[in-house]
PDB file of all heavy atoms in Angstrom:
ATOM      1  N   LYS A 615     193.144 111.340 109.942  1.00 95.00           N
ATOM      2  CA  LYS A 615     191.941 111.075 110.646  1.00 95.00           C
ATOM      3  C   LYS A 615     191.320 109.750 110.335  1.00 95.00           C
ATOM      4  O   LYS A 615     190.681 109.158 111.252  1.00 95.00           O
ATOM      5  CB  LYS A 615     190.994 112.295 110.171  1.00 95.00           C
ATOM      6  CG  LYS A 615     191.390 113.589 110.848  1.00 95.00           C
ATOM      7  CD  LYS A 615     190.403 114.694 110.418  1.00 95.00           C
ATOM      8  CE  LYS A 615     190.808 115.958 111.102  1.00 95.00           C
ATOM      9  NZ  LYS A 615     190.662 116.092 112.625  1.00 95.00           N
ATOM     10  N   LEU A 616     191.443 109.230 109.164  1.00 95.00           N
ATOM     11  CA  LEU A 616     190.956 107.878 108.779  1.00 95.00           C
ATOM     12  C   LEU A 616     191.720 106.926 109.664  1.00 95.00           C
ATOM     13  O   LEU A 616     191.002 105.951 110.181  1.00 95.00           O
ATOM     14  CB  LEU A 616     191.173 107.554 107.326  1.00 95.00           C
ATOM     15  CG  LEU A 616     190.064 108.335 106.382  1.00 95.00           C
ATOM     16  CD1 LEU A 616     190.472 108.118 104.937  1.00 95.00           C
ATOM     17  CD2 LEU A 616     188.635 107.871 106.661  1.00 95.00           C
ATOM     18  N   LEU A 617     193.029 106.937 109.633  1.00 93.00           N
ATOM     19  CA  LEU A 617     193.748 105.968 110.407  1.00 93.00           C
ATOM     20  C   LEU A 617     193.386 106.040 111.906  1.00 93.00           C
ATOM     21  O   LEU A 617     193.272 104.853 112.580  1.00 93.00           O
ATOM     22  CB  LEU A 617     195.219 106.200 110.253  1.00 93.00           C
ATOM     23  CG  LEU A 617     195.845 105.841 108.868  1.00 93.00           C
ATOM     24  CD1 LEU A 617     197.213 106.300 108.796  1.00 93.00           C
ATOM     25  CD2 LEU A 617     195.753 104.346 108.704  1.00 93.00           C
ATOM     26  N   LYS A 618     193.184 107.254 112.357  1.00 92.00           N
ATOM     27  CA  LYS A 618     192.800 107.369 113.825  1.00 92.00           C
ATOM     28  C   LYS A 618     191.461 106.708 114.054  1.00 92.00           C
ATOM     29  O   LYS A 618     191.244 106.046 115.088  1.00 92.00           O
ATOM     30  CB  LYS A 618     192.803 108.837 114.307  1.00 92.00           C
ATOM     31  CG  LYS A 618     192.417 109.080 115.592  1.00 92.00           C
ATOM     32  CD  LYS A 618     192.511 110.699 115.979  1.00 92.00           C
ATOM     33  CE  LYS A 618     192.096 110.947 117.306  1.00 92.00           C
ATOM     34  NZ  LYS A 618     192.030 112.455 117.650  1.00 92.00           N
ATOM     35  N   GLY A 619     190.530 106.849 113.121  1.00 91.00           N
ATOM     36  CA  GLY A 619     189.204 106.392 113.311  1.00 91.00           C
ATOM     37  C   GLY A 619     189.209 104.788 113.214  1.00 91.00           C
ATOM     38  O   GLY A 619     188.572 104.173 114.010  1.00 91.00           O
ATOM     39  N   LEU A 620     190.038 104.285 112.399  1.00 89.00           N
ATOM     40  CA  LEU A 620     190.079 102.749 112.272  1.00 89.00           C
ATOM     41  C   LEU A 620     190.743 102.268 113.425  1.00 89.00           C
ATOM     42  O   LEU A 620     190.259 101.210 113.987  1.00 89.00           O
ATOM     43  CB  LEU A 620     190.926 102.375 110.957  1.00 89.00           C
ATOM     44  CG  LEU A 620     190.272 102.609 109.676  1.00 89.00           C
ATOM     45  CD1 LEU A 620     191.320 102.408 108.561  1.00 89.00           C
ATOM     46  CD2 LEU A 620     189.145 101.697 109.416  1.00 89.00           C
ATOM     47  N   ASN A 621     191.678 102.946 113.953  1.00 86.00           N
ATOM     48  CA  ASN A 621     192.496 102.187 115.172  1.00 86.00           C
ATOM     49  C   ASN A 621     191.690 102.530 116.449  1.00 86.00           C
ATOM     50  O   ASN A 621     192.011 101.833 117.513  1.00 86.00           O
ATOM     51  CB  ASN A 621     193.823 102.760 115.261  1.00 86.00           C
ATOM     52  CG  ASN A 621     194.858 102.328 114.174  1.00 86.00           C
ATOM     53  OD1 ASN A 621     194.876 101.127 113.957  1.00 86.00           O
ATOM     54  ND2 ASN A 621     195.508 103.247 113.590  1.00 86.00           N
ATOM     55  N   SER A 622     190.701 103.415 116.577  1.00 84.00           N
ATOM     56  CA  SER A 622     189.899 103.609 117.712  1.00 84.00           C
ATOM     57  C   SER A 622     188.696 102.768 117.792  1.00 84.00           C
ATOM     58  O   SER A 622     188.140 102.650 118.819  1.00 84.00           O
ATOM     59  CB  SER A 622     189.376 105.040 117.627  1.00 84.00           C
ATOM     60  OG  SER A 622     188.459 105.299 116.736  1.00 84.00           O
ATOM     61  N   LYS A 623     188.510 101.994 116.717  1.00 73.00           N
ATOM     62  CA  LYS A 623     187.425 100.948 116.893  1.00 73.00           C
ATOM     63  C   LYS A 623     187.864  99.790 117.702  1.00 73.00           C
ATOM     64  O   LYS A 623     188.931  99.589 117.959  1.00 73.00           O
ATOM     65  CB  LYS A 623     187.137 100.325 115.455  1.00 73.00           C
ATOM     66  CG  LYS A 623     186.442 101.419 114.471  1.00 73.00           C
ATOM     67  CD  LYS A 623     186.024 100.593 113.165  1.00 73.00           C
ATOM     68  CE  LYS A 623     185.252 101.571 112.303  1.00 73.00           C
ATOM     69  NZ  LYS A 623     184.767 101.017 111.105  1.00 73.00           N
ATOM     70  N   LYS A 624     186.792  99.215 118.342  1.00 63.00           N
ATOM     71  CA  LYS A 624     186.937  98.099 119.283  1.00 63.00           C
ATOM     72  C   LYS A 624     187.834  96.974 118.679  1.00 63.00           C
ATOM     73  O   LYS A 624     187.466  96.473 117.606  1.00 63.00           O
ATOM     74  CB  LYS A 624     185.724  97.603 119.795  1.00 63.00           C
ATOM     75  CG  LYS A 624     185.815  96.522 120.914  1.00 63.00           C
ATOM     76  CD  LYS A 624     184.390  96.098 121.261  1.00 63.00           C
ATOM     77  CE  LYS A 624     184.499  95.098 122.489  1.00 63.00           C
ATOM     78  NZ  LYS A 624     183.174  94.582 122.914  1.00 63.00           N
ATOM     79  N   GLN A 625     188.924  96.667 119.404  1.00 60.00           N
ATOM     80  CA  GLN A 625     189.771  95.639 118.876  1.00 60.00           C
ATOM     81  C   GLN A 625     189.228  94.230 119.417  1.00 60.00           C
ATOM     82  O   GLN A 625     188.466  94.116 120.265  1.00 60.00           O
ATOM     83  CB  GLN A 625     191.203  95.868 119.426  1.00 60.00           C
ATOM     84  CG  GLN A 625     191.691  97.169 118.934  1.00 60.00           C
ATOM     85  CD  GLN A 625     192.001  97.229 117.498  1.00 60.00           C
ATOM     86  OE1 GLN A 625     192.192  96.255 116.747  1.00 60.00           O
ATOM     87  NE2 GLN A 625     191.959  98.470 117.023  1.00 60.00           N
ATOM     88  N   TYR A 626     189.714  93.232 118.703  1.00 57.00           N
ATOM     89  CA  TYR A 626     189.323  91.868 119.077  1.00 57.00           C
ATOM     90  C   TYR A 626     190.104  91.560 120.426  1.00 57.00           C
ATOM     91  O   TYR A 626     191.195  91.973 120.737  1.00 57.00           O
ATOM     92  CB  TYR A 626     189.840  90.784 118.078  1.00 57.00           C
ATOM     93  CG  TYR A 626     189.040  90.876 116.796  1.00 57.00           C
ATOM     94  CD1 TYR A 626     189.681  91.455 115.599  1.00 57.00           C
ATOM     95  CD2 TYR A 626     187.781  90.385 116.708  1.00 57.00           C
ATOM     96  CE1 TYR A 626     188.966  91.464 114.485  1.00 57.00           C
ATOM     97  CE2 TYR A 626     187.076  90.585 115.450  1.00 57.00           C
ATOM     98  CZ  TYR A 626     187.608  91.063 114.398  1.00 57.00           C
ATOM     99  OH  TYR A 626     186.998  91.192 113.101  1.00 57.00           O
ATOM    100  N   THR A 627     189.339  90.787 121.287  1.00 63.00           N
ATOM    101  CA  THR A 627     189.911  90.375 122.575  1.00 63.00           C
ATOM    102  C   THR A 627     191.127  89.459 122.350  1.00 63.00           C
ATOM    103  O   THR A 627     191.040  88.549 121.572  1.00 63.00           O
ATOM    104  CB  THR A 627     188.862  89.528 123.360  1.00 63.00           C
ATOM    105  OG1 THR A 627     187.701  90.385 123.600  1.00 63.00           O
ATOM    106  CG2 THR A 627     189.434  89.189 124.744  1.00 63.00           C
ATOM    107  N   PRO A 628     192.277  89.926 122.984  1.00 65.00           N
ATOM    108  CA  PRO A 628     193.431  89.002 122.744  1.00 65.00           C
ATOM    109  C   PRO A 628     193.205  87.571 123.124  1.00 65.00           C
ATOM    110  O   PRO A 628     192.537  87.223 124.103  1.00 65.00           O
ATOM    111  CB  PRO A 628     194.433  89.707 123.755  1.00 65.00           C
ATOM    112  CG  PRO A 628     193.905  91.034 123.981  1.00 65.00           C
ATOM    113  CD  PRO A 628     192.399  90.904 123.830  1.00 65.00           C
ATOM    114  N   LYS A 629     193.856  86.581 122.401  1.00 73.00           N
ATOM    115  CA  LYS A 629     193.712  85.230 122.680  1.00 73.00           C
ATOM    116  C   LYS A 629     194.472  84.875 123.971  1.00 73.00           C
ATOM    117  O   LYS A 629     195.403  85.566 124.308  1.00 73.00           O
ATOM    118  CB  LYS A 629     194.363  84.443 121.382  1.00 73.00           C
ATOM    119  CG  LYS A 629     193.651  84.522 120.170  1.00 73.00           C
ATOM    120  CD  LYS A 629     194.335  83.706 119.053  1.00 73.00           C
ATOM    121  CE  LYS A 629     193.656  83.824 117.810  1.00 73.00           C
ATOM    122  NZ  LYS A 629     194.351  83.067 116.678  1.00 73.00           N
TER     123      LYS A 629
END
Side-chain angles (χ1 to χ4, degrees):
K615 289 182 177 292
L616 285 175
L617 289 172
K618 181 179 179 181
L620 286 171
N621 288 315
S622 67
K623 289 187 174 184
K624 185 177 179 180
Q625 303 291 334
Y626 292 109
T627 303
K629 296 180 180 179

